[in-house]
Amino acid sequence: MSGYAYDLVLSGGRVVDPANDVDAVLDVGMKDGSIAAISEGIPGEKAREIVDLQGDVVFPGAVDSHVHVGRAERGVGYRMTAAVGVTTMIDFGSTMDEFLPGLADRGVGQTVGALYPINRELSDRHAPRGEIIGLVDEALEEGSLGVKIVGGHYPLTPDTTAEIIDVANDRGCYIAFHLGTTETGSHIEGVREIPQLLGNNRMHVAHANSYCRGMVDSPAEEILETMDILDDLGDQVVAESYLGTINGTGGKCSDGKPESHVTRNCLAMRGYSPTQDGLREAIADGYGNVRTEYGGRMLLVTGDEGVRLWEDADTDMPMSFPVNSPQSTFLAATAKNDAGDFIVDAISTDGGANPRNVAVERGMALVRYGALTLSELAEKLSAAPADMFGLTSKGHLGEGADADVTVIDGERGLARMTIAGGRPIMLDGVIIGCGGTVITTGEGAAAVRDAGFPAHISATEDTRLYR
Ligand SMILES: [Zn+2]
């Protein structure tokens, strides 16, 4: 038992906490992993440790609502995300078997949930309802936070897609969708298909900007149409968008073709043949980048070295192409409806192991540009994504909230300190945390605890999706 009132006090930073309508220079006192006080002039002698944050901005811990850390990534993304201020994140497509070992080995103290990639079990592209119910039940029991349809890469029929959405809604299971079916694709046609697939159901639209790369109309026309469609759907959809330039896809080929339809799109967009030969040429030319781990993070490699790595791996490598339109990312991040609300709820990265964890850096650039206020940025980076996933003790700095904080250097616009559960896990680029807490549902809590992790429960009725 320490005799101090606070374990840690963050002193003199500009605290921006939109959920509590706070934007002022204040001290933040933490005790036993929770926020204990926010006020002016907390006396230093009450704190076991005190950090002077004059000139810095203090946000509720950044919640990245769309990352990839669990699967082939083997946990390399935890350091990469902690380095840029992320305290909480949702992996968009790992089974618990793929996700938990990486968190145990390479976790750095963050709170992380995972959506189960339901496509992988449905390779025949058409599945009866009973099979889908079985998969959803199993995913939740194993500890998944929900399911994700990876339609853009591995499309299912519209019927099967709609059925999965319906089963998830019946079950109160979080459902996210990378748009696209066998009838459309990962582009504006996939967005136009939403109302028909959704009926009266609800779902999370993954990376809303990414369908607007100019495959059908211009990027600006496509993103404006997307904003209209999402706005018309109102509470039926929640969405995030990212600010990165590169995308994330796979290089794996079979029968002379990339398996991922997104990879084929990327090739077609720049006039390459959508085949294995076309992909080789695109990598050699510097357009296709393979991702490889080096020095504890993922790097992009292209040209002859990229081709060598890709061929050594029998083409099975994660890849990125610089295909995202800045117009689309800008509009998705900033567009509001007539009521003055953001159409896209949150700014995500779709990063993690994909080296585009630029939400804080580019979000701060939008603030400097005058496109967002600091408070709006805090909403999009923390309050809204916490609310999306029903994380009621996160996304704000009220008394009793989890002591998750992202400290941003006000001048450089970069994260300089990440605090998770009252513990600093990143300090000026140095990572010092370990392990992690798993976000799961009431149904999955036992499996998560059996696997040796603390469970953070998200209740269906608390999620922005189903509330
Ligand atoms: Zn993703």
Side-chain angles (χ1 to χ4, degrees):
M1 288 279 288
S2 90
Y4 294 106
Y6 307 107
D7 299 326
L8 177 64
V9 168
L10 306 179
S11 167
R14 177 173 170 187
V15 178
V16 181
D17 176 13
N20 290 304
D21 213 8
V22 170
D23 181 354
V25 172
L26 293 168
D27 298 341
V28 181
M30 303 175 182
K31 177 75 176 170
D32 298 330
S34 299
I35 302 294
I38 298 233
S39 64
E40 268 176 78
I42 294 179
E45 63 272 16
K46 290 195 168 183
R48 188 149 53 90
E49 251 179 288
I50 186 157
V51 185
D52 179 7
L53 296 182
Q54 266 187 66
D56 290 335
V57 175
V58 176
F59 274 10
V63 177
D64 195 332
S65 49
H66 184 153
V67 297
H68 295 276
V69 286
R71 203 179 152 196
E73 298 86 0
R74 300 183 313 273
V76 62
Y78 295 119
R79 300 180 72 84
M80 294 165 70
T81 50
V84 294
V86 176
T87 59
T88 301
M89 68 193 113
I90 311 297
D91 181 277
F92 263 52
S94 306
T95 66
M96 295 309 276
D97 283 349
E98 293 165 336
F99 165 66
L100 294 176
L103 183 61
D105 289 349
R106 305 174 86 177
V108 298
Q110 295 147 307
T111 302
V112 198
L115 301 181
Y116 176 90
I118 196 160
N119 283 63
R120 253 194 271 160
E121 311 298 329
L122 298 173
S123 51
D124 62 351
R125 299 180 176 197
H126 185 78
R129 191 173 178 93
E131 188 185 342
I132 295 168
I133 293 175
L135 287 171
V136 169
D137 285 350
E138 200 182 311
L140 292 174
E141 263 166 45
E142 286 173 355
S144 297
L145 179 59
V147 300
K148 178 192 180 190
I149 306 172
V150 199
H153 291 276
Y154 312 107
L156 301 167
T157 63
D159 283 353
T160 300
T161 305
E163 192 90 57
I164 296 170
I165 295 168
D166 192 55
V167 166
N169 273 257
D170 257 11
R171 197 66 173 66
C173 169
Y174 203 95
I175 168 84
F177 186 20
H178 175 160
L179 302 178
T181 67
T182 50
E183 299 300 307
T184 57
S186 187
H187 46 71
I188 189 70
E189 299 284 1
V191 182
R192 291 173 184 155
E193 195 184 20
I194 300 175
Q196 168 201 338
L197 296 174
L198 203 53
N200 293 317
N201 285 319
R202 294 166 173 238
M203 71 174 180
H204 174 130
V205 175
H207 41 57
N209 58 290
S210 72
Y211 313 104
C212 309
R213 293 172 177 159
M215 294 249 334
V216 178
D217 299 314
S218 74
E221 286 169 308
E222 291 177 351
I223 192 68
L224 289 172
E225 184 180 350
T226 296
M227 292 303 103
D228 278 345
I229 291 171
L230 295 182
D231 189 28
D232 283 347
L233 287 162
D235 289 345
Q236 279 187 273
V237 291
V238 297
E240 23 78 31
S241 70
Y242 59 79
L243 293 167
T245 308
I246 57 168
N247 77 337
T249 184
K252 190 175 180 197
C253 295
S254 53
D255 303 325
K257 273 190 299 207
E259 288 185 3
S260 166
H261 288 233
V262 171
T263 302
R264 293 183 207 171
N265 287 350
C266 291
L267 294 173
M269 276 172 71
R270 296 285 174 93
Y272 291 95
S273 134
T275 60
Q276 184 163 346
D277 289 338
L279 180 53
R280 182 182 298 105
E281 209 184 320
I283 301 170
D285 286 352
Y287 172 51
N289 298 265
V290 301
R291 301 204 299 267
T292 190
E293 190 178 332
Y294 188 81
R297 59 204 179 103
M298 295 295 258
L299 297 182
L300 300 176
V301 183
T302 186
D304 292 341
E305 178 68 3
V307 172
R308 191 186 62 76
L309 289 168
W310 175 69
E311 288 186 333
D312 284 354
D314 283 326
T315 73
D316 190 6
M317 285 204 93
M319 294 204 58
S320 295
F321 294 84
V323 287
N324 289 305
S325 151
Q327 293 163 329
S328 300
T329 58
F330 180 90
L331 274 163
T334 57
K336 290 181 177 176
N337 62 19
D338 291 342
D341 297 323
F342 286 113
I343 294 171
V344 174
D345 302 70
I347 292 175
S348 64
T349 61
D350 199 1
N354 189 353
R356 56 168 173 194
N357 297 293
V358 295
V360 166
E361 178 185 343
R362 293 198 174 174
M364 288 296 284
L366 291 180
V367 171
R368 258 175 279 171
Y369 190 79
L372 293 176
T373 66
L374 259 187
S375 181
E376 286 172 338
L377 181 62
E379 179 187 340
K380 291 209 117 183
L381 289 181
S382 182
D387 192 45
M388 281 163 82
F389 290 98
L391 309 175
T392 53
S393 60
K394 300 189 183 294
H396 63 93
L397 296 172
E399 236 181 88
D402 294 347
D404 295 349
V405 167
T406 300
V407 178
I408 301 169
D409 180 320
E411 228 158 80
R412 292 165 67 229
L414 298 173
R416 57 161 298 227
M417 192 171 179
T418 310
I419 299 170
R423 292 199 189 105
I425 62 167
M426 186 280 284
L427 208 56
D428 292 321
V430 179
I431 314 284
I432 38 193
C434 66
T437 297
V438 176
I439 307 168
T440 185
T441 67
E443 284 171 79
V448 165
R449 291 187 184 116
D450 284 352
F453 294 89
H456 186 110
I457 310 290
S458 154
T460 302
E461 63 273 19
D462 289 333
T463 63
R464 187 175 282 191
L465 186 62
Y466 287 126
R467 190 167 49 224

